[in-house]
Each structure stands twice: as C-alpha cells, then as structure tokens.
Amino acid sequence: MMQISELPAAYARVHLPAKVALAVTEKPDGNYNLITIEWFMRTSIQPPMFAISIGHTRYSHDCLEGVRYFNLVFPAKEQKELLTLCGSNSGRDIDKFTAGDVKHFAGKLHKLPILKDAIANFECEVVSQVRSGDHTIYVGQVHYSWLDTDKELFFYS
Ligand SMILES: Cc1cc2nc3c(=O)[nH]c(=O)nc-3n(C[C@H](O)[C@H](O)[C@H](O)COP(=O)(O)O)c2cc1C
C-alpha cells in the first residue's frame, strides 16, 4: 500500500543499485582532482552532454568554478577502492591521483587526464550551470570519448 514516508526512508529504498562515476577536475595549481559522484546524467543527444551535480562544500566545486572542464569517468568493477578513496577524502587534503596510484595519460581536451583502467572517459567542457539547493549542476558538452571494451562497469548494489 502506498503511504506517506519519511524522506530518508524513501531515498534509502530507491537509490540502489546505483551507477557511479568519477569526475576529474583541474586544481588551481594545475594538478588534477577526482570526486566520486552518483548524481549525473546524459542531458542532450546533439550536441552530446552530461550533467554532474557537485556539492558547494566539495573541493571539486572550487575547481570547476576556476577551470571549466571535467572528465566524466565510468569505473570498472576492479576500481571499487578508488571510488571509496575519492568519495571519502577531499582534494584539499590529499592528492587522489597519487594516493590511488591512478594510471592516466593526457586527453585531447585541455589535457584532462584519461583514466587508463576505467571503462569509459568523456571529456567535457562546461557550457552552463544551475544552482540546485546545496549543489551546482554543471552541464558539460562532450568533446572526446574513450572506451575500453574489455572491462565491466562497476555498480553499487
Ligand atoms: C557513492 C558516492 C556518491 C557520491 N555522489 C556525490 C555526488 O553526486 N555529488 C557530490 O557533490 N558528492 C558526492 N559524493 C561525495 C564526494 O565524493 C565526497 O564528498 C568527496 O570527498 C569530495 O571530494 P573533493 O572535496 O575532493 O571534491 C559521493 C560519495 C560517494 C561515496
């Protein structure tokens, strides 16, 4: 029977299994940061676009206010540890590329790092943004996409 519910109970019931991603951003010093995100989606077919929702307290938010590019990375099954690392530490305190021993190479858009061990990487340029409560939704136009067909996608379940 459908009944009125407390919000946390309703959230808890509907958010799994969840597709998660990593977003690479550029730090003010020219190094790069990684954040684990669950709040992302495709938003346009032509031109291709992805939106990501980033909390105002996140270092990634500061990074995106400075440099208007991100790389949306779809992780492989083997990358669970990296998702935990990037979802529970801030780039203000640690360098996540070093801490996670992340293998990468320079992409084609603003040299954003491409994560070698992921399933897919989408290099995006921020074309618009919307304040959404305590998060900002950044809409990125995809300029280059990368794919490794030998790996399987990670899901939280
Ligand atoms: C599974 C999972 C999903 C998350 N999804 C988001 C998200 O969609 N947006 C967001 O701003 N933070 C999200 N977070 C929290 C950030 O990953 C976390 O606060 C991170 O430490 C921020 O790093 P930063 O300060 O280097 O940007 C998520 C964390 C986890 C573990």
Side-chain angles (χ1 to χ4, degrees), residues 20 33-40 53-61 83-92 96 135 156:
V20 284
N33 193 37
L34 280 163
I35 180 174
T36 300
I37 53 171
E38 191 178 342
W39 295 356
F40 66 92
S53 184
I54 304 295
H56 295 158
T57 59
R58 317 294 190 224
Y59 185 50
S60 300
H61 194 276
L83 292 165
T84 304
L85 173 81
C86 298
S88 52
N89 293 278
S90 177
R92 288 190 187 96
K96 298 185 208 181
H135 281 55
Y156 269 105

Side-chain angles (χ1 to χ4, degrees), residues 2-16:
M2 186 62 72
Q3 290 175 307
I4 192 83
S5 166
E6 295 293 329
L7 194 54
Y11 280 157
R13 188 78 185 178
V14 299
H15 90 288
L16 291 174

Side-chain angles (χ1 to χ4, degrees), residues 24-155:
V24 181
T25 54
E26 185 174 330
K27 298 182 192 178
D29 68 3
N31 286 312
Y32 296 95
N33 193 37
L34 280 163
I35 180 174
T36 300
I37 53 171
E38 191 178 342
W39 295 356
F40 66 92
M41 63 177 171
R42 284 180 66 186
T43 56
S44 168
I45 299 167
Q46 201 50 254
M49 292 184 184
F50 275 107
I52 61 174
S53 184
I54 304 295
H56 295 158
T57 59
R58 317 294 190 224
Y59 185 50
S60 300
H61 194 276
D62 294 357
C63 297
L64 282 163
E65 288 301 303
V67 182
R68 312 292 283 169
Y69 299 98
F70 63 88
N71 175 19
L72 188 64
V73 181
F74 286 74
K77 267 188 173 171
E78 298 75 23
Q79 292 185 298
K80 184 171 182 177
E81 263 183 44
L82 182 62
L83 292 165
T84 304
L85 173 81
C86 298
S88 52
N89 293 278
S90 177
R92 288 190 187 96
D93 308 319
I94 62 162
D95 183 312
K96 298 185 208 181
F97 276 86
T98 307
D101 191 21
V102 180
K103 308 278 182 296
H104 60 96
F105 57 90
K108 288 175 173 288
L109 183 69
H110 199 68
K111 297 188 178 152
L112 284 174
I114 304 301
L115 269 56
K116 202 171 154 280
D117 296 329
I119 295 274
N121 288 254
F122 296 92
E123 295 186 77
C124 300
E125 177 179 10
V126 174
V127 291
S128 65
Q129 68 187 66
V130 181
R131 191 186 168 112
S132 173
D134 53 10
H135 281 55
T136 300
I137 299 169
Y138 294 95
V139 180
Q141 182 171 339
V142 179
H143 288 282
Y144 300 100
S145 47
W146 302 76
L147 181 66
D148 182 337
T149 52
D150 298 330
K151 300 199 174 77
E152 276 183 61
L153 186 62
F154 175 85
F155 275 93

